[in-house]
Amino acid sequence: MSTLLADRQIEHLMTLHPKGFDLSLDRISRLLERLGNPQDRLPPVIHIAGTNGKGSTAAFSRALLEAAGLRVHVHTSPHLVNWHERYRLGAEGGGKFVADDVLADAIGRVADANRGETITVFEILTAVTFLLFSEHPADVAVIEVGLGGRFDATNVIKKPAVSVIMPVSLDHEAYLGDRVELIAAEKAGIIKRGCPVIVGAQESDAAREVLIETAERLGCPLAVYGQDFIASQEHGRMIYQDQTGLMDLSPPRLPGRHQYANAAAAIAAVRAAGFRLDDHAADRAMTTVSWPGRMQRLPQGKLVDLAPAGAEIWLDGGHNPGAGLVVAEALTEQEEKSARPLFLICGMINTKDQTGYFRAFKGIARHVYTVPVAFSDASVPNSELAIRAGEAGLSAEPVSSVANALMLLRDTWDASEPAPRILISGSLYLAGAVLAENGTPPV
């Protein structure tokens, strides 16, 4: 059992309340009313939805705002190792994860206000977000949507400074719909009449059209990636362009060409929210941004020590076909810089399109080791996951754990070859477990 008081409180709440999602705003609205509606007392809010890229865009937004000298609250979900990661409280010189005693106190007050009524744990934790962010001073709050948008518990914010919709693709079909335009309509539910809207790079014309139509119907100032702002890679630099001109910036610290578009959406969002952003602050943000568990390089740690000598190890929690495509592209970029054989260690849960995810790696991954996902009742059995990888045209075999996969690779490695490039991926639950076991949790 965790030694952190807040963790123990949340574990207890999970025994009292239903697991999963129950999309509605009625329960959280009633709870927030009892708490004095803290969501109405927040600093300006950058509200971010999307299937992929919303976490990276939140990270870029935080880096940009902090580089500009502002205090930034950040709410993201899910966490990787500790629940405290969901709440970063703004402070001079950079925000910090909420202290355990502060989080425990807020959880206790929210649980008391709920009076034992039916509610989901995510709704309780979202109410905790609003309580914490209303009681601690900051200049701006970056709030990531949990699931969907229209009925997500975060969508009680009446007047966001800006609503941001990142790439929309198929995911959570049971809740959001089985066509991308239906999912886009759910994501567009965070758009509020007259409030600025940023539409990030979209994979689907149908999704983009739904988002633009919604913003225009609600009379929102609108900026669309590729139309009103854009970022490109030129001579090793990132060039951002919008109606105000050009910014010549360092390339984003987060790997992958898709991060140029995510960074661009964050720059556009910060400006649309009314914050001044000069080239110096934007450049500094590109070099300092951090987003654990998303194409994160693991240079050292207990698990890294089990791999073949000199192996290059990456960790990514992406878990749908769209995420698979951008990760595969990022790894192809790494291959162009330094050729190494690519191996995957993958664990996934049963609500995801496993074969669709693996299909992105056909032709670039030599072999896949499939592992169970610890701490998830929805883990796909490793033997079944190996079959799904095979359906996507990959060579695959089940093993019992990430550690065993790394040791098996080490013990069978041909030293005459370049050391391998290893991607551990498929689930944020798996990413969190790896960071904990490796001894490198988020900070």
Side-chain angles (χ1 to χ4, degrees):
M1 179 175 287
S2 173
T3 59
L4 296 171
L5 178 57
D7 282 358
R8 296 200 302 272
Q9 286 176 303
I10 295 168
E11 289 163 7
H12 176 65
L13 288 171
M14 294 181 75
T15 68
L16 300 177
H17 298 290
K19 292 184 179 180
F21 302 98
D22 185 3
L23 298 180
S24 166
L25 297 180
D26 295 338
R27 294 175 301 274
I28 190 166
S29 295
R30 183 171 58 246
L31 174 56
L32 291 169
E33 178 74 26
R34 292 173 184 168
L35 291 165
N37 288 315
Q39 78 279 8
D40 296 338
R41 302 192 304 275
L42 302 182
V45 172
I46 296 175
H47 199 196
I48 305 175
T51 307
N52 297 307
K54 61 182 185 288
S56 295
T57 304
F60 278 117
S61 298
R62 173 196 159 210
L64 289 161
L65 291 159
E66 289 187 342
L70 300 173
R71 298 166 300 171
V72 188
H73 291 330
V74 184
H75 164 78
T76 56
S77 64
H79 62 282
L80 293 174
V81 178
N82 293 311
W83 292 91
H84 303 65
E85 298 166 29
R86 298 184 180 218
Y87 313 96
R88 187 180 290 274
L89 298 182
E92 297 289 346
K96 303 291 184 184
F97 293 146
V98 62
D100 187 49
D101 59 335
V102 175
L103 179 56
D105 173 72
I107 292 170
R109 285 186 285 149
V110 171
D112 288 346
N114 188 57
R115 302 173 186 169
E117 294 181 3
T118 298
I119 198 167
T120 67
V121 173
F122 182 76
E123 288 168 326
I124 289 178
L125 297 180
T126 302
V128 167
T129 299
F130 296 134
L131 193 64
L132 288 171
F133 287 9
S134 70
E135 293 179 344
H136 293 80
D139 302 300
V140 56
V142 177
I143 295 181
E144 180 187 335
V145 167
L147 173 64
R150 183 164 59 110
F151 290 121
D152 183 74
T154 66
N155 199 31
V156 293
I157 301 163
K158 295 175 183 175
K159 288 286 183 182
V162 62
S163 299
V164 185
I165 318 287
M166 295 308 293
V168 175
S169 60
L170 292 176
D171 198 13
H172 297 293
E173 291 96 325
Y175 296 100
L176 304 178
D178 58 1
R179 301 199 314 275
V180 71
E181 57 266 34
L182 296 177
I183 296 177
E186 291 296 322
K187 308 288 187 187
I190 71 166
I191 296 174
K192 303 300 191 301
R193 182 172 296 278
C195 296
V197 174
I198 300 298
V199 174
Q202 298 297 319
E203 305 160 8
S204 158
D205 291 340
R208 185 185 302 104
E209 289 170 6
V210 168
L211 300 173
I212 292 173
E213 187 279 328
T214 304
E216 290 178 342
R217 175 168 48 83
L218 294 174
C220 301
L222 174 65
V224 180
Y225 183 85
Q227 176 179 307
D228 303 297
F229 67 96
I230 197 166
S232 59
Q233 183 179 6
E234 297 182 19
H235 307 295
R237 302 284 292 174
M238 171 176 156
I239 305 301
Y240 171 86
Q241 183 174 5
D242 61 18
Q243 65 273 19
T244 67
L246 293 172
M247 300 175 82
D248 182 355
L249 307 173
S250 297
R253 183 170 174 237
L254 304 183
R257 275 191 281 269
H258 62 291
Q259 296 296 1
Y260 285 73
N262 292 339
I267 293 171
V270 167
R271 287 181 161 179
F275 295 100
R276 183 178 177 275
L277 185 65
D278 62 29
D279 289 28
H280 176 74
D283 188 80
R284 181 166 179 265
M286 295 304 106
T287 63
T288 58
V289 63
S290 174
W291 190 225
R294 285 78 168 182
M295 280 306 290
Q296 177 183 357
R297 178 81 181 270
L298 299 180
Q300 72 266 331
K302 295 177 182 177
L303 285 176
V304 173
D305 291 343
L306 302 178
E312 181 182 299
I313 301 179
W314 296 86
L315 178 68
D316 188 79
H319 45 242
N320 55 47
L325 287 170
V326 297
V327 171
E329 182 183 28
L331 289 169
T332 300
E333 288 182 35
Q334 296 300 318
E335 176 69 9
E336 292 169 356
K337 297 175 184 176
S338 170
R340 295 170 180 253
L342 175 65
F343 289 78
L344 268 58
I345 302 174
C346 190
M348 299 188 74
I349 62 175
N350 58 22
T351 59
K352 306 303 175 185
D353 178 2
Q354 300 115 41
T355 303
Y357 177 82
F358 284 123
R359 200 170 285 126
F361 299 94
K362 184 178 180 180
I364 66 171
R366 180 182 292 188
H367 191 66
V368 181
Y369 297 101
T370 57
V371 298
V373 178
F375 313 118
S376 175
D377 297 336
S379 173
V380 177
N382 53 354
S383 56
E384 180 182 332
L385 192 58
I387 294 171
R388 302 286 88 79
E391 291 172 351
L394 300 177
S395 166
E397 66 177 294
V399 295
S400 60
S401 68
V402 171
N404 284 342
L406 292 169
M407 288 188 289
L408 179 61
L409 194 53
R410 179 193 64 195
D411 293 344
T412 58
W413 192 250
D414 181 353
S416 65
E417 286 197 88
R421 178 171 290 120
I422 303 168
L423 171 69
I424 306 172
S425 69
S427 168
L428 285 169
Y429 291 107
L430 180 67
V434 166
L435 289 174
E437 188 174 354
N438 195 50
T440 51
V443 294

